[in-house]
Amino acid sequence: MKILYFAHVAKALGRREDDLYVPAPITADDLWERLLALRPGLAPYRASIHLARNGEYADAAGEFSNGDEVALIPPVSGG
Amino acid sequence: MWMEILFLDTALPPPPSAPESVRGRAGAWAEFHGCVRAAERGEKIAALRYDIYEVMARRMVTTHLETLEKKHGLIAARFWHRGGIVPVGEAAVYAAIAAPHRREAFAALAELMDLLKTDVPIWKAEVVPA
């Protein structure tokens, strides 16, 4: 799956995306475990980030699959 | 409802007037320009840098406008947001709403801007003077 980073999170990681392979659909908790292993620099932001799947906020019970585009959404500040 | 949502990485152009299709039906065409101030939280800045997740932002603004259409009977809406560097004094956002009466147009415009700051994936960061 494609992982997208934005704003100060992208700046802190020094990158705007990652590709992550998962053998089977995983929960949000499992996804976070893999993300934090891949990018430990995400740890300070986890509590403030919402996950979006394919352009929509993901609900807590949702699962994430290889074909998904997953965006990490920190608190927004448009306008 | 007539709707136009644009994300631009250049200065926002002078907006056109209300779309032809709403003339005669809209009693109000309310407009808002959101501009970059010279200071944020008491600190002088040179610009704001905007980052936009466009696919999702477009979907969410559409959803919010459809909700406001049901609530206020909107006839048309235009929403432009600039990405990248926006210097002090320039507009980062332009929104306009057509409704049968001014109260609905003003209310919907204010609510749209509040919703924008609630969950639409757009972020700003201060750029300090060199």
Side-chain angles (χ1 to χ4, degrees):
Chain A
M1 68 184 75
K2 183 184 281 189
I3 309 293
L4 302 179
Y5 308 113
F6 294 95
H8 57 282
V9 176
K11 188 176 180 185
L13 297 180
R15 57 194 303 119
R16 294 187 65 85
E17 62 180 73
D18 270 315
D19 282 308
L20 185 68
Y21 173 77
V22 292
I26 57 174
T27 65
D29 283 344
D30 289 339
L31 176 58
W32 268 113
E33 194 173 320
R34 288 165 191 258
L35 287 172
L36 289 169
L38 180 68
R39 302 288 169 208
L42 283 171
Y45 307 106
R46 178 179 177 172
S48 64
I49 286 175
H50 285 89
L51 296 177
R53 183 179 55 249
N54 301 325
E56 295 184 7
Y57 284 106
D59 59 55
E63 293 196 321
F64 299 83
S65 305
N66 269 330
D68 289 340
E69 179 177 275
V70 178
L72 275 60
I73 310 287
V76 303
S77 54
Chain B
M1 175 174 59
W2 184 95
M3 197 186 297
E4 179 185 82
I5 299 169
L6 290 178
F7 299 105
L8 303 164
D9 58 7
T10 56
L12 299 184
S17 56
E20 194 72 41
S21 61
V22 311
R23 289 180 195 168
R25 294 195 293 139
W29 175 244
E31 297 180 299
F32 170 76
H33 298 259
C35 302
V36 177
R37 292 175 296 169
E40 285 277 327
R41 295 189 289 268
E43 298 291 325
K44 192 174 180 185
I45 65 167
L48 290 174
R49 178 185 289 108
Y50 285 89
D51 195 7
I52 304 174
Y53 181 19
E54 286 194 17
V55 171
M56 185 172 173
R58 181 182 305 279
R59 183 175 292 172
M60 298 209 64
V61 171
T62 300
T63 300
H64 289 324
L65 285 172
E66 288 170 349
T67 301
L68 293 169
E69 177 190 14
K70 290 189 183 77
K71 183 176 178 183
H72 295 293
L74 304 188
I75 297 169
R78 178 175 277 142
F79 178 87
W80 298 349
H81 205 299
R82 186 171 170 183
I85 299 285
V86 184
V88 166
E90 296 189 15
V93 61
Y94 168 78
I97 298 275
H101 307 287
R102 71 181 189 283
R103 288 185 198 284
E104 292 93 332
F106 284 139
L109 194 52
E111 288 173 39
L112 175 63
M113 295 311 300
D114 287 343
L115 289 166
L116 174 71
K117 293 169 183 292
T118 302
D119 56 12
V120 178
I122 300 174
W123 302 268
K124 66 183 167 194
E126 293 90 2
V127 178
V128 296

